[in-house]
Amino acid sequence: MEGILYHLTADATVHAVPGRVTCVVLTGGSDAATLVLKDGGSGGTTKLTIKAAINTTVVVPLRGATFETDIYADLTGTGPAAMIEVV
């Protein structure tokens, strides 16, 4: 099954319909980065939290974290970037 790859540098609704996250790559910028993935928008249920130190990249392969409403990403830090694969 092919996934869709999303690139983020700020908070956003990643996927507006239900889906499964199969991989996350998070890069910290000049400050540590935190990525919180939520099901149900910005006030939804936290499903996954990932942290990356200053100027490092963290790769998290998943078997498929299921989101039943949508996938919202809360990205914090100075100059962070994230890539999220959704199927």
Side-chain angles (χ1 to χ4, degrees), residues 1-18:
M1 179 179 290
E2 289 188 30
I4 302 167
L5 191 61
Y6 295 94
H7 180 259
L8 304 171
T9 56
D11 296 356
T13 298
V14 176
H15 199 66
V17 296

Side-chain angles (χ1 to χ4, degrees), residues 7-11 25-35 52-53 55-56 74-83:
H7 180 259
L8 304 171
T9 56
D11 296 356
V25 178
L26 176 62
T27 301
S30 59
D31 188 10
T34 301
L35 174 66
N55 296 320
T56 62
D74 183 359
L75 185 59
T76 59
T78 303
M83 291 193 322

Side-chain angles (χ1 to χ4, degrees), residues 6-57:
Y6 295 94
H7 180 259
L8 304 171
T9 56
D11 296 356
T13 298
V14 176
H15 199 66
V17 296
R20 287 185 314 123
V21 174
T22 55
C23 187
V24 176
V25 178
L26 176 62
T27 301
S30 59
D31 188 10
T34 301
L35 174 66
V36 178
L37 295 180
K38 298 181 179 184
D39 188 355
S42 62
T45 303
T46 297
K47 301 281 255 183
L48 185 64
T49 301
I50 300 169
K51 297 183 180 214
I54 297 169
N55 296 320
T56 62
T57 298

